[in-house]
Amino acid sequence: MLKIKDLYAGLGGKDILQGINLEVKAGEIHAIMGPNGSGKSTLASVVAGKEEYEVTRGYITFENEDISELDPEERAHKGIFLSFQYPVEIPGVSVTNFIKTAINETHKSKKMDDMPASEMLKMIKEKADMLEIDRKFLSRSLNEGFSGGEKKRNEIFQMAMLEPKLAILDETDSGLDIDALKVVANGVNKLKSKDNAVIVITHYQRLLDYIIPDFVHVIMNGRIVKSGTKELAYELEEKGYDWIKEELV
Ligand SMILES: Nc1ncnc2c1ncn2[C@@H]1O[C@H](COP(=O)(O)OP(=O)(O)OP(=O)(O)O)[C@@H](O)[C@H]1O
Ligand SMILES: [Mg+2]
């Protein structure tokens, strides 16, 4: 589904990502861990096509198509979803209206008609119930005054509505209380299928008790320096990152 080959990317003439290789197949969950500033969010942004970053070497394909030249909207329409570590506020646009617009934009890009209002409402109700989201929440302005947990829940709601092929969740666990963490993880697990894939970026092994990854990768200095199974996450929780550094020298 997603293939990243020898990817160098950064900004201002400096590469933050320095030779990333990663393949994510349909049906898989990959976790990405690594110290602060190692390039995790940058990798997510580059895959999603954020324009401030420049790819200087290597390539990214999604479903066997080179997506390097596509803008973020086009990538989203192809089924790539990125949740932000720091989501933006959009005053005056409700959670519901934002998602309606996003869905119909996707329909438009596929030359499909708008989703009928009744169908949209039904879907909103279903997904909100699944994620235990209060109806009142849906009419609030997007991210305005949202608590950390509400922002994260809203992201998962967007993801549930958009049904992406590849979801990249950047620190979805930060700021969630234990109950919210379970709801969010549960949502991700329910949305999981053999046809889609998830990349979770996290600092803590805790999330991976609920969203069980097939692979865990460690990024340091813009490179994947170690990959393993979920056992690797336990090892990191226990030992930190220094032992990997030592292994590398
Ligand atoms: N837009 C930007 N402008 C300047 N520097 C940037 C920008 N984006 C990333 N960087 C730098 O690139 C490096 C990697 O940042 P990135 O956000 O990818 O780290 P991260 O692994 O997600 O860290 P964290 O765990 O703290 O979220 C950092 O040194 C950061 O300051
Ligand atoms: Mg980050």
Side-chain angles (χ1 to χ4, degrees):
M1 177 179 277
L2 179 76
K3 280 193 193 130
I4 301 177
K5 194 93 191 124
D6 196 33
L7 184 73
Y8 285 72
L11 70 184
K14 184 177 158 273
D15 286 331
I16 298 166
L17 303 180
Q18 313 218 12
I20 298 272
N21 289 292
L22 179 67
E23 179 168 0
V24 177
K25 298 201 179 89
E28 292 177 348
I29 298 182
H30 290 243
I32 295 183
M33 304 181 79
N36 291 130
S38 56
K40 303 180 297 298
S41 296
T42 302
L43 175 62
S45 296
V46 171
V47 172
K50 260 180 122 182
E51 267 127 11
E52 59 195 282
Y53 298 100
E54 200 188 341
V55 172
T56 54
R57 209 163 108 187
Y59 62 86
I60 307 173
T61 64
F62 184 65
E63 299 192 306
N64 298 317
E65 181 195 354
D66 191 333
I67 57 167
S68 310
E69 298 300 318
L70 302 183
D71 64 36
E73 288 72 30
E74 289 169 311
R75 297 187 201 201
H77 294 155
K78 291 201 179 292
I80 299 177
F81 173 90
L82 171 63
S83 87
F84 293 102
Q85 190 172 6
Y86 305 105
V88 290
E89 293 185 6
I90 312 187
V93 176
S94 70
V95 171
T96 312
N97 276 326
F98 181 80
I99 199 65
K100 276 185 191 163
T101 308
I103 288 179
N104 284 329
E105 281 300 317
T106 303
H107 277 219
K108 220 175 274 164
S109 78
K110 294 181 180 144
K111 308 233 168 354
M112 286 160 62
D113 290 333
D114 279 2
M115 187 186 277
S118 58
E119 203 180 306
M120 183 81 78
L121 272 175
K122 188 167 159 262
M123 192 173 174
I124 289 174
K125 191 175 167 303
E126 259 175 38
K127 306 283 178 171
D129 285 349
M130 179 182 88
L131 297 171
E132 296 173 34
I133 287 172
D134 190 348
R135 292 301 147 68
K136 265 187 249 144
F137 178 77
L138 299 174
S139 54
R140 283 179 63 179
S141 271
L142 194 72
N143 287 321
E144 205 179 11
F146 280 15
S147 76
E150 286 168 343
K151 281 182 187 166
K152 297 296 163 185
R153 229 181 248 241
N154 172 57
E155 283 173 358
I156 299 298
F157 173 66
Q158 287 178 19
M159 173 181 137
M161 289 293 294
L162 290 167
E163 300 178 325
K165 289 183 196 152
L166 173 68
I168 307 173
L169 307 174
D170 194 357
E171 292 186 24
T172 293
D173 49 343
S174 57
L176 289 183
D177 63 44
I178 292 289
D179 289 340
L181 183 73
K182 283 184 191 157
V183 169
V184 163
N186 210 353
V188 172
N189 289 331
K190 279 185 190 157
L191 297 168
K192 196 72 216 48
S193 82
K194 64 175 182 18
D195 302 314
N196 61 28
V198 184
I199 299 175
V200 283
I201 298 172
T202 181
H203 281 293
Y204 304 106
Q205 185 275 326
R206 189 182 65 169
L207 179 70
L208 307 179
D209 279 338
Y210 302 109
I211 302 175
I212 296 168
D214 299 295
F215 301 97
V216 174
H217 310 280
V218 180
I219 293 195
M220 286 173 112
N221 300 322
R223 271 173 188 268
I224 293 178
V225 293
K226 202 169 182 68
S227 296
T229 59
K230 70 176 180 7
E231 311 309 326
L232 177 56
Y234 285 103
E235 215 171 341
L236 293 169
E237 185 90 352
E238 195 187 320
K239 304 202 267 185
Y241 291 110
D242 282 350
W243 64 282
I244 298 183
K245 273 187 220 152
E246 281 154 23
E247 257 183 20
L248 290 173
V249 288

